[in-house]
Every structure is written in C-alpha cells, then in structure tokens.
Amino acid sequence: MVTNTIEREVVLRHPVERVWAALTTAEGLSRWFGSVAEIDLRPGGRAYFRWEDLGQESLATVDVVEAPHRFAFRWGIEGLPGEDAPRTLVEFTLEAVPGGTRLRLVESGFAQAAADVARTAHQANSQGWDAELADLRDYLDAAA
C-alpha cells in the first residue's frame, strides 16, 4: 500500500506575516528552501527552486494564495519526468498561536504514481521536508 500524504506540523516563534514572507517570496525561499528560488505569487504562477549542493531543481505551479494563511503549489513527483506527469499538492497553512505561528504542511497525491515510484518519492520527500522545515526554523531564528 502506498502512503499518499506527508503531514508535518511545527510551531515557529515568529508572527504569521514573517513566516508567510519566508514561504512566499523568492528572497525568503532562497534562504531555507534550496539555494535559488523564483516565484510568481498568484494562482497559476510559476515557481522555480534549485538546490545547488544537490544539483537538483524543480518547477512548480502556484495553486492557492490566501495571504497570510494558506499557500499551495503543485510539483512533479520525483521519478516521473514530463509536464503531463502526475503532480503532488504541497499546502502550507499558517495559524497564529500564543508566541508564534503553527505551520502545517501537507503534501498529497503520491498514490497517482506507480507503487514503486510513489514509495520512493514519498520517502525522499518525507526526509526532505524534515530537513527543509528545520532549515526554515533556523533561518527565521537567525533573522530574528
């Protein structure tokens, strides 16, 4: 059985607006999510991410922009090349809580791919999100 969804939740010691900027601006994204980022922040807009240390890049399409509480994009499933290949939905939800912001990340849609590809991509992205969210926390804390 293929796990279709990755879910993570973290509480960050920063206001919603600060976390929103880290998630939705090229400057913010390039500090924690890869080394290069470009984003056209509107539904249907394009986002580009590059991890120079890994020699990897990814294109995404912005799906939802509800500032400053919900942001989502779709990107390809690793191992499935091509523009017509299935894509997962990555959704960030921000909620103000005492002392900061609760960030909920949900990436869904892995089950669209063949089981072996889906399992490999799910595992890689699970580990990736753990590292990226730690990098987000470090970036926000260092900038405070």
Side-chain angles (χ1 to χ4, degrees):
M1 172 133 186
V2 174
T3 303
N4 191 50
T5 304
I6 296 168
E7 298 182 50
R8 299 289 185 269
E9 190 172 292
V10 296
V11 175
L12 303 163
R13 299 175 301 154
H14 305 278
V16 167
E17 293 76 18
R18 176 78 179 107
V19 178
W20 177 259
L23 295 174
T24 61
T25 66
E27 178 184 347
L29 286 162
S30 65
R31 302 295 178 134
W32 69 274
F33 194 64
S35 49
V36 176
E38 299 171 10
I39 188 165
D40 178 3
L41 189 62
R42 62 180 175 80
R46 184 184 90 109
Y48 168 81
F49 311 107
R50 177 159 177 75
W51 292 263
E52 290 182 357
D53 57 329
L54 302 174
Q56 294 179 339
E57 60 185 19
S58 184
L59 290 174
T61 302
V62 175
D63 199 61
V64 176
V65 179
E66 296 174 2
H69 297 288
R70 189 167 165 244
F71 169 59
F73 63 83
R74 294 185 184 275
W75 64 354
I77 297 172
E78 187 175 335
L80 294 179
E83 290 295 316
D84 296 332
R87 299 161 69 82
T88 61
L89 176 67
V90 177
E91 183 172 11
F92 298 93
T93 305
L94 305 177
E95 176 189 0
V97 295
T101 300
R102 176 178 293 117
L103 168 63
R104 180 169 166 74
L105 164 94
V106 177
E107 182 174 7
S108 59
F110 292 96
Q112 301 171 77
D116 59 333
V117 171
R119 270 191 297 277
T120 300
H122 185 277
Q123 181 179 15
N125 287 22
S126 290
Q127 293 170 349
W129 286 120
D130 290 342
E132 297 293 0
L133 292 174
D135 289 347
L136 172 61
R137 180 185 307 277
D138 291 347
Y139 161 63
L140 289 169
D141 288 351

